[in-house]
């Protein structure tokens, strides 16, 4: 059958969408074979289809194997029947016969339309996924387009991809309104049934890290390094930073002139408290800093892997532990150590000799 217009349309699609014509042809061959099998209940053998864009033809063939005894009429033909078609056939040969399906034009048109639409959708979806695949772990600005009972849907990029913010990635107390611009952290990009699905978050620790990278030039340049971040979204974040260059004040760089840099991040996080902690390769020193804003008298390593006791002044115990244990909990996540926080008097009752160390107040916001 000749259908030059059809092949010309495929050639135009290749130019317009950048999709190789062969992609459509391969998919169409498989789809037409499937359509034939559904259309015809009589045994027509194994169906093969050859599409020739240069000649503008679509040809159908039945293929059966020559056997001594037929077990499957759809795929086999006896030697006697095969030799009626062509005397030279022998056992093991393939008998190929051309045929024209009934009502072929309608079947071909419907199938071609379905295949082309499907391939176009798949290609656009793959292109969108490829565009966003390198955005994982990045900060993006989007526009809220829809809010249902639980989820927030955000238009990202050029509007071809929708970001999904699940309840677990939303911050309690933050208000989300349709048409609001919003900064989000891209957690994961995956190829979903309906297209590229981009999972975004306002609650991930990565959001704070990226905000600091965006606000502090020294972090972008690699002069100041973010070592760890622990966060309870909407309440408090602890971020450990470090610089190998002794001339660089890492804390000062993150705080900024009159607190401008850290305050800009706090504003973006709707008032979330941020403790900027100087990282130390000495884990006990790092633990003392991590319990900011409380001053720590001493930190002692206990038996057991990564376990320590931190002793604080009696009047700083509640500050070190924090409301509902939040400050100590964040310090544990930041350092990776189990921390037993005790007051100075409680440590003394246990017979622990506390040697006070002169220590600067940790930096906190």
């Amino acid at each position: 059958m000749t259908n030059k217009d059809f092949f010309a349309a495929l050639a135009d699609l290749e130019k317009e969408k950048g999709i190789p014509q062969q992609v459509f042809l391969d998919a169409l061959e498989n789809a037409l074979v499937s359509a034939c099998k559904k259309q015809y209940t009589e045994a027509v053998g194994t169906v093969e289809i050859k599409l020739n864009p240069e000649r503008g033809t679509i040809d159908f063939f039945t293929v059966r194997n020559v056997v001594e005894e037929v077990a499957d009429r759809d795929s086999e033909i006896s030697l006697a029947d095969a030799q009626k078609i062509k005397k030279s056939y022998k056992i093991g040969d393939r008998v190929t016969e051309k045929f024209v399906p009934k009502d072929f034009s309608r079947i071909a048109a419907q199938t071609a339309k379905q295949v082309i639409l499907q391939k176009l959708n798949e290609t656009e979806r793959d292109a969108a996924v490829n565009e966003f695949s390198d955005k994982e772990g990045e900060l993006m600005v989007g526009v809220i387009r829809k809010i249902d009972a639980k989820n927030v849907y955000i238009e990202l990029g050029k509007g071809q991809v929708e970001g999904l913010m699940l309840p677990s990635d939303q911050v309690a107390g933050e208000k989300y309104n349709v048409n609001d611009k919003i900064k989000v952290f891209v957690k994961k990009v995956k190829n979903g049934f309906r297209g590229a699905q981009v999972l975004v978050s306002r609650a991930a620790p990565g959001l704070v890290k990226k905000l600091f990278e965006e606000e502090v030039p020294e972090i972008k340049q690699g002069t100041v390094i973010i070592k760890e971040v622990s966060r309870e979204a909407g309440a408090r974040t602890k971020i450990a930073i470090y610089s190998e260059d002794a001339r660089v004040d890492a804390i000062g760089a993150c705080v900024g002139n009159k607190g401008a840099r850290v305050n800009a991040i706090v504003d973006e996080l709707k008032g979330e408290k941020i403790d900027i902690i100087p990282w130390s390769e000495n884990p006990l020193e790092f633990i003392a800093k991590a319990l900011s804003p409380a001053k720590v008298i001493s930190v002692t390593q206990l038996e057991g892997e990564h376990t320590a006791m931190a002793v604080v002044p009696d009047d700083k115990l509640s500050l070190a532990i924090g409301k509902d244990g939040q400050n100590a909990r964040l310090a544990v996540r930041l350092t990776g150590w189990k921390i037993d926080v005790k007051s100075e008097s409680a440590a003394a009752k246990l017979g622990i000799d506390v040697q006070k160390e002169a220590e600067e107040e940790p930096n906190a916001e």
Side-chain angles (χ1 to χ4, degrees), residues 107-118:
I107 296 172
Q110 288 179 346
T111 305
K113 181 180 179 181
Q114 291 170 357
V115 167
I116 289 170
L117 288 174
Q118 182 180 350

Side-chain angles (χ1 to χ4, degrees), residues 108-238:
Q110 288 179 346
T111 305
K113 181 180 179 181
Q114 291 170 357
V115 167
I116 289 170
L117 288 174
Q118 182 180 350
K119 277 296 168 186
L120 281 173
N121 289 335
E122 286 177 2
T123 303
E124 289 177 353
R125 179 187 65 194
D126 291 344
V129 170
N130 290 335
E131 180 188 349
F132 278 82
S133 60
D134 61 347
K135 301 293 185 184
E136 282 190 12
E138 295 296 324
L139 196 66
M140 291 193 73
V141 178
V143 179
I144 297 175
R145 291 304 185 202
K146 186 175 71 171
I147 301 172
D148 62 21
K150 294 181 179 179
N151 303 320
V152 178
Y153 300 88
I154 301 161
E155 181 182 293
L156 300 170
K158 298 174 183 177
Q160 295 180 342
V161 174
E162 184 177 69
L164 171 62
M165 188 160 65
L166 298 169
S168 58
D169 286 306
Q170 298 166 29
V171 179
E174 281 194 350
K175 292 183 179 180
Y176 307 112
N177 302 303
V178 172
N179 294 328
D180 280 356
K181 279 190 175 181
I182 187 171
K183 285 185 179 180
V184 292
F185 178 74
V186 180
K187 288 179 64 178
K188 188 173 182 61
V189 180
K190 59 182 181 179
N191 209 335
F193 177 72
R194 295 183 178 179
Q197 186 179 52
V198 183
L199 298 179
V200 299
S201 178
R202 286 279 299 173
L207 176 71
V208 181
K209 181 179 180 181
K210 288 298 173 181
L211 287 172
F212 269 93
E213 288 179 5
E214 184 179 75
E215 197 67 37
V216 182
E218 290 85 350
I219 293 177
K220 275 186 182 178
Q221 296 160 5
T223 309
V224 174
I225 301 166
I226 297 173
K227 300 292 284 187
E228 298 291 343
V229 180
S230 63
R231 183 184 185 205
E232 293 196 359
R236 195 177 207 99
T237 286
K238 290 184 182 289

Side-chain angles (χ1 to χ4, degrees), residues 282-303:
N282 180 329
L284 302 186
E285 182 182 335
F286 185 31
I287 289 168
K289 299 291 186 182
L291 286 167
S292 168
K295 182 178 179 179
V296 176
I297 297 172
S298 68
V299 180
T300 307
Q301 185 170 0
L302 302 177
E303 289 186 10

Side-chain angles (χ1 to χ4, degrees), residues 255-280:
V255 172
N257 186 28
K258 296 182 179 179
R261 291 174 178 175
V262 71
N263 286 340
I265 297 169
V266 169
D267 288 345
E268 174 61 36
L269 298 176
K270 307 296 187 286
E272 184 171 315
K273 290 181 172 61
I274 298 176
D275 297 333
I276 303 173
I277 311 296
W279 180 84
S280 173

